């Protein structure tokens, strides 16, 4: 008999570098073997049918079968996910594009898609009996972690660059988090986290250093397919910092193929990593200007979420770009702001600079002929502009 009640099909964790098996039913961080991200694997042959979805709640927890939380009582939710995919008809007609859409992650709790990752990661931390969590952040991840820890009754320590706009800091404090400011970028915050956590007092929720923020973010891929009635866009533009969303969306497409939700011969979208010129390690490596980003030095950018100079997920990001036949592109500060303003003026959307960069990237890729006007182009706007006021002046 087909079961209608969601229950996690989580099976094990796999090292993203060498494939080694890791136990999914205890606290895990990076892999023991390679110190690299662990990827959650599910029993996808256990009959999770897409027809079960119609009766489920309109949040990312509708995909609970392919999420790691075993006991639904441990789900820590503020209503994250199931954000709309909006057509951008006025922008499309101005630029003679056939189908331009935007998935608006700015409508998530705490104003960004970081809510997805943190909802799932903090739920799992709660399930594992953690009491306190710590995170280095460029802004949005810290706000989201603080909110979900408050909701779960866990202690939260957020380590953020001093130059981050005040709204991010104030919101963390409202959620009762301890806020620590550091001169530098997120990698400097990560060093501070290592120092503060030298006795392992806190659970470190750094991007891809625990396995489940990725699982929360992958639900964007499930939603894109479901909301477009199991068709897919030709291209997805994604503002890439740590790369979790990009890797997660691709993971979702692979899982949906295994589940039989999308046909083996259905083309998958090309994924485009959009970065800031000020900090574009992935673009540099993608174009062979460096072998990897181990020694890359980034500068602050108005798109705070893109200021990740040495992402641990770099190999996975590059694999995803190549496997999807995508590309990588860097956008100037002026162009991303113009992108924000154009989306505002034409469509009534107030997106984060990260989202503005997507439209700037689309225009450049159209100009280069890499994108074609007849393609369905989806901009994955990761956050609301609300917290970035200082950056817009
Ligand atoms: C964190 C963040 C990003 C980068 O996300 P990754 O999935 O880590 O690449 C992009 N946009 C915003 C608004 C963010 O907060
Ligand atoms: Zn390994």
């Amino acid at each position: 008999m087909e079961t209608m009640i969601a229950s996690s099909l989580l099976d094990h964790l796999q090292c993203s570098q060498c494939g080694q098996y890791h136990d999914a039913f205890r606290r895990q961080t990076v892999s023991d073997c390679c110190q690299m991200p662990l990827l959650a694997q599910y029993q996808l042959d256990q009959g999770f049918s897409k027809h079960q979805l119609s009766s489920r709640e309109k949040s990312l927890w509708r995909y609970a079968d392919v999420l790691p939380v075993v006991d639904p009582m441990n789900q820590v939710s503020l209503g994250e996910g199931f954000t709309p995919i909006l057509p951008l008809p006025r922008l499309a007609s101005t630029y003679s594009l056939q189908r331009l859409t935007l998935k608006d992650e700015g409508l998530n709790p705490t104003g960004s898609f970081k809510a997805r990752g943190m909802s799932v990661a903090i739920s799992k931390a709660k399930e594992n009996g953690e009491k306190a969590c710590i995170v280095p952040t460029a802004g949005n991840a810290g706000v989201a972690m603080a909110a979900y820890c408050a909701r779960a009754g866990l202690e939260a320590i957020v380590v953020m660059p001093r130059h981050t706009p005040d709204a991010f800091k104030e919101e963390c404090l409202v959620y009762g988090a301890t806020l620590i400011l550091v001169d530098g970028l997120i990698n400097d915050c990560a060093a501070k986290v290592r120092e503060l956590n030298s006795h392992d007092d806190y659970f470190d929720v750094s991007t891809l250093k625990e396995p489940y923020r990725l699982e929360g973010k992958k639900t964007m891929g499930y939603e894109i397919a479901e909301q477009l009635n199991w068709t897919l866009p030709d291209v997805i533009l994604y503002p890439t910092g740590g790369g979790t969303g990009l890797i997660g969306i691709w993971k979702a497409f692979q899982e949906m193929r295994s589940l039989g939700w999308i046909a083996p011969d259905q083309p998958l979208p090309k994924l485009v990593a959009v970065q800031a010129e000020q900090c574009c390690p992935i673009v540099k490596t993608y174009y062979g200007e460096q072998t990897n980003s181990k020694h890359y030095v980034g500068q602050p950018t108005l798109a705070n979420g893109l200021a990740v100079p040495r992402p641990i997920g770099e190999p996975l990001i590059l694999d995803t770009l190549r496997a999807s036949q995508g590309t990588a592109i860097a956008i100037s500060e002026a162009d991303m702001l113009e992108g924000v303003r154009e989306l505002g003026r034409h469509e009534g959307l107030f997106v984060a600079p990260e989202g503005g960069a997507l439209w700037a990237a689309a225009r450049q890729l159209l100009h280069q002929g890499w994108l074609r006007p007849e393609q369905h182009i989806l901009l994955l706007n990761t956050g609301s502009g609300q917290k970035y006021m200082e950056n817009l002046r």
Side-chain angles (χ1 to χ4, degrees):
M1 199 183 76
E2 191 179 61
T3 164
M4 295 306 286
I5 296 162
S7 61
S8 175
L9 301 172
L10 182 64
D11 190 70
H12 66 280
L13 296 168
Q14 197 174 22
C15 173
S16 60
Q17 182 132 318
C18 74
Q20 191 173 304
Y21 179 103
H22 287 65
D23 186 354
F25 299 95
R26 62 177 187 85
R27 177 208 258 223
Q28 293 282 9
T29 55
V30 289
S31 67
D32 302 324
C33 39
C34 308
Q35 303 294 303
M36 288 300 276
L38 287 169
L39 302 176
Q41 304 296 335
Y42 299 83
Q43 296 169 16
L44 298 176
D45 53 359
Q46 294 299 301
F48 179 26
S49 153
K50 63 186 176 191
H51 304 294
Q52 289 169 251
L53 295 173
S54 56
S55 60
R56 299 248 178 115
E57 63 185 294
K58 291 208 163 10
S59 85
L60 62 76
W61 293 103
R62 68 199 278 104
Y63 308 109
D65 310 59
V66 288
L67 292 173
V69 179
V70 175
D71 181 351
M73 292 294 287
N74 289 323
Q75 292 175 7
V76 185
S77 177
L78 292 162
E80 52 292 322
F82 229 69
T83 56
I85 296 177
L86 304 168
L88 303 180
R90 285 172 37 84
L91 214 45
S93 93
T94 304
Y95 289 90
S96 307
L97 306 179
Q98 235 166 57
R99 195 160 179 211
L100 180 67
T101 58
L102 179 145
K103 185 162 175 64
D104 196 3
E105 291 292 301
L107 296 171
N108 275 302
T110 73
S112 87
F113 77 134
K114 290 294 196 304
R116 293 182 188 263
M118 287 301 179
S119 175
V120 173
I122 299 305
S123 296
K124 194 63 187 176
K126 181 182 170 194
E127 188 156 87
N128 285 340
E130 306 294 347
K131 299 284 177 254
C133 296
I134 192 166
V135 75
T137 176
N140 280 315
V143 174
M145 193 195 80
Y148 286 94
C149 278
R151 188 113 173 130
L154 305 185
E155 191 188 340
I157 297 100
V158 176
V159 185
M160 195 182 280
R162 198 178 304 279
H163 67 259
T164 313
D166 283 339
F168 292 94
K169 300 172 191 162
E170 294 300 332
E171 194 170 337
C172 288
L173 296 174
V174 166
Y175 297 133
T178 302
L179 179 65
I180 294 163
L181 301 177
V182 167
D183 294 309
L185 294 181
I186 192 169
N187 52 316
D188 304 295
C189 296
K192 183 70 181 175
V193 164
R194 282 195 292 277
E195 179 193 320
L196 291 167
N197 205 23
S198 57
H199 299 298
D200 219 15
D201 295 326
Y202 312 108
F203 184 60
D204 183 350
V205 197
S206 300
T207 302
L208 293 172
K209 291 186 183 165
E210 65 75 51
Y212 302 120
R213 282 173 66 183
L214 176 67
E215 294 305 290
K217 284 188 175 182
K218 87 178 176 192
T219 57
M220 291 186 289
Y222 278 90
E223 285 177 23
I224 289 169
E226 186 183 357
Q227 291 172 317
L228 297 175
N229 199 20
W230 314 105
T231 66
L232 292 168
D234 297 303
V235 185
I236 299 173
L237 279 75
Y238 183 85
T240 305
T244 333
L246 192 88
I247 299 162
I249 289 170
W250 194 246
K251 184 172 190 277
F253 293 153
Q254 309 306 319
E255 289 178 2
M256 284 187 284
R257 272 195 172 158
S258 299
L259 288 164
W261 294 8
I262 52 184
D265 57 350
Q266 187 174 346
L268 298 179
K270 297 182 189 329
L271 299 186
V272 179
V274 178
Q275 297 207 294
E277 278 180 5
Q278 298 281 97
C279 188
C280 55
I282 297 301
V283 178
K284 296 276 185 212
T285 308
Y286 184 80
Y287 284 103
E289 292 170 40
Q290 58 185 15
T291 36
N292 58 52
S293 66
K294 277 204 176 68
H295 302 289
Y296 183 82
V297 178
Q299 299 304 319
T301 156
L302 299 173
N304 298 75
L306 304 188
V308 185
R310 299 166 195 176
I312 183 179
E314 180 175 39
L316 291 169
I317 298 171
L318 293 166
D319 286 350
T320 301
L321 297 181
R322 293 186 185 119
S324 77
Q325 299 175 286
T327 190
I329 183 170
I331 301 300
S332 72
E333 301 290 284
D335 286 350
M336 67 176 75
L337 283 186
E338 180 51 23
V340 169
R341 299 214 162 86
E342 259 195 302
L343 283 163
R345 234 174 20 240
H346 286 86
E347 302 287 358
L349 293 166
F350 184 23
V351 302
E354 291 86 339
L358 299 178
W359 173 236
R363 284 186 61 183
Q364 290 185 24
L365 292 171
L366 282 159
H367 186 75
Q368 293 169 17
W370 193 91
L371 281 175
R372 296 189 313 277
E374 68 275 14
Q375 288 176 312
H376 177 186
I377 302 166
L378 185 142
L379 310 179
L380 209 149
N381 175 48
T382 42
S384 153
Q386 301 284 356
K387 290 199 244 295
Y388 295 77
M389 294 304 177
E390 288 154 66
N391 291 0
L392 298 180
R393 278 184 210 122

